[in-house]
């Protein structure tokens, strides 16, 4: 399939960093049996992947700014464009050898995400989207699921880690949703949860306390697949609030109706 020059740049960068992560996943599996486990190794793998993405993206688009989970903010000469990159989303999964993790690359132009890529090197699933051009998984056009009844839906959430977020609120949210849906899931990689929404595998997803790089690519991929993405207020910007709800228009609205009052 023919992609734009921009998408080609993103795909090439993601595939190189992805090869590195996939090699490192093999080593992680070996290190599980060691006393200290693979934590230090994973931290290096993460940084190495971000360095590759920074190199490739900056080489192809020298002026663009770059915000990466590992390296923070680097300003570019072109103040209108910024890459928003998570080199390894689903770090805990990766650390445990669970093949549910991804590279996430979003491109922001004047405050709007105009292109996104999510790539899981473990199974080679590559999701891309560009504004107005649709969303694709391995060149297959994506469309969000069509279910309208929550009772038939599989919904994913995130769970705050130890020492983070509001655990009581999280349990309250899960209790409310669990009572109304066909299945509740927690996969542990926000970018892939959003990619699964775009692919119609999941009907809905919500999570609090995320970072822009967790959601930048996912946001455009879901929207280009016909889905709705907002914060938990229903009309707020997830990249600003750090809270996200997504699904088709009906399930998104149902989730907001349940979740919004709980956070008050
Ligand atoms: P990460 O793997 O890149 O850290 C898990 O619930 C999801 O939340 C993952 O996508 C994880 O991204 C993300 N996340 C964002 N901020 C986090 C934090 N402070 N602690 C743990 N997970 C976080
Ligand atoms: Ca992340």
């Amino acid at each position: 399939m023919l992609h734009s020059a921009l998408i080609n740049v993103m795909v090439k960068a993601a595939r190189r960093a992805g090869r590195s992560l996939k090699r490192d996943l093999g080593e992680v599996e070996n290190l599980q049996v060691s006393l200290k486990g693979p934590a230090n190794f994973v931290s290096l793998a993460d940084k190495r992947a971000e360095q590759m993405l920074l190199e490739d993206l900056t080489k192809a688009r020298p002026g663009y700014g770059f915000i990466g989970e590992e390296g923070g903010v680097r300003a570019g000469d072109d103040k209108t464009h910024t890459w928003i990159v998570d080199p390894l989303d689903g770090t805990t999964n990766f650390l445990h050898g669970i093949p549910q993790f991804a590279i996430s690359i979003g491109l922001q132009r004047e405050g709007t995400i105009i292109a996104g890529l999510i790539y899981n090197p473990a199974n080679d699933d590559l999701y891309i989207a560009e504004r107005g051009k649709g969303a694709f998984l391995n060149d297959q056009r994506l469309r969000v699921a069509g279910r309208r009844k929550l009772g038939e839906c599989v919904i994913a959430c995130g769970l705050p880690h130890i020492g983070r977020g509001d655990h009581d609120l999280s349990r309250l949210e899960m209790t409310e949703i669990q009572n109304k849906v066909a299945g509740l899931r927690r996969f542990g990689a926000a970018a892939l949860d959003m990619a699964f929404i775009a692919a119609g595998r999941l009907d809905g997803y919500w999570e609090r306390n995320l970072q822009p790089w967790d959601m930048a690519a996912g946001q455009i991929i879901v929207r280009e697949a016909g889905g709705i993405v907002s914060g938990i207020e229903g009309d707020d910007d997830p990249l600003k609030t750090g809270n996200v709800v997504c699904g088709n228009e009906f399930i998104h609205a149902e989730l907001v109706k349940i979740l919004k009052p709980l956070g008050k």
Side-chain angles (χ1 to χ4, degrees):
M1 190 185 160
L2 274 177
H3 294 306
S4 69
L6 174 66
I7 292 291
N8 284 336
V9 161
M10 294 162 70
V11 169
K12 203 170 156 209
R15 287 206 184 274
R16 179 161 86 104
R19 279 193 297 278
S20 169
L21 285 179
K22 194 168 179 182
R23 269 196 306 275
D24 290 340
L25 182 68
E27 183 61 17
V28 163
E29 282 160 352
N30 293 333
L31 288 169
Q32 298 298 355
V33 292
S34 70
L35 206 57
K36 279 168 86 180
N40 291 335
F41 177 78
V42 167
S43 161
L44 285 176
D46 203 349
K47 290 192 175 69
R48 198 156 43 224
E50 179 162 315
Q51 188 56 34
M52 286 181 191
L53 294 166
L54 174 68
E55 273 169 28
D56 287 359
L57 296 173
T58 307
K59 197 167 163 199
R61 294 288 184 275
Y64 290 11
F66 184 99
I67 301 173
E69 176 164 22
E70 296 302 311
V73 181
R74 287 177 193 84
D77 296 334
D78 174 350
K79 300 294 175 210
T80 57
H81 288 87
T82 307
W83 298 111
I84 304 180
V85 172
D86 193 340
L88 176 54
D89 185 52
T91 319
T92 307
N93 284 342
F94 186 85
L95 180 68
H96 287 256
I98 299 169
Q100 181 76 0
F101 59 87
I103 290 166
S104 172
I105 304 173
L107 178 62
Q108 194 173 45
R109 184 172 69 203
E110 287 171 343
T112 304
I113 305 294
I114 58 161
L117 172 151
I118 294 171
Y119 177 51
N120 181 351
N123 64 6
D124 223 28
D125 273 356
L126 176 70
Y127 302 83
I128 56 156
E130 224 178 328
R131 209 144 87 110
K133 295 186 182 168
F136 297 84
L137 162 55
N138 299 332
D139 292 342
Q140 197 99 25
R141 183 89 187 231
L142 295 180
R143 182 82 204 154
V144 292
R147 291 181 193 84
R148 294 184 182 193
K149 294 190 184 123
L150 258 190
E152 295 170 357
C153 287
V154 173
I155 307 289
C157 62
L159 294 176
H161 294 227
I162 186 168
R164 305 251 182 194
D166 182 337
H167 291 208
D168 288 336
L169 174 58
S170 164
R171 277 189 290 272
L172 185 62
E173 288 177 342
M174 280 192 293
T175 306
E176 291 297 315
I177 303 283
Q178 200 175 13
N179 279 327
K180 297 182 176 70
V181 301
L184 187 59
R185 300 286 184 273
R186 201 289 193 187
F187 293 111
L192 285 176
D193 288 330
M194 295 182 81
F196 280 18
I197 293 287
R201 293 173 177 172
L202 283 171
D203 300 286
Y205 162 65
W206 90 95
E207 182 158 1
R208 289 180 187 271
N209 302 314
L210 291 174
Q211 301 291 335
W213 44 77
D214 301 316
M215 300 176 281
Q219 174 172 311
I220 186 164
I221 293 172
V222 171
R223 286 182 180 156
E224 286 295 324
I228 310 283
V229 183
S230 75
I232 283 174
E233 293 295 305
D235 55 4
D236 47 332
D237 178 354
L239 296 189
K240 296 207 172 93
T241 59
N243 303 326
V244 66
V245 186
C246 55
N248 70 29
E249 60 180 306
F250 304 98
I251 300 307
H252 171 268
E254 291 287 330
L255 291 177
V256 168
K257 203 164 75 189
I258 298 165
L259 296 168
K260 186 175 169 177
L262 298 178
K264 302 286 176 205

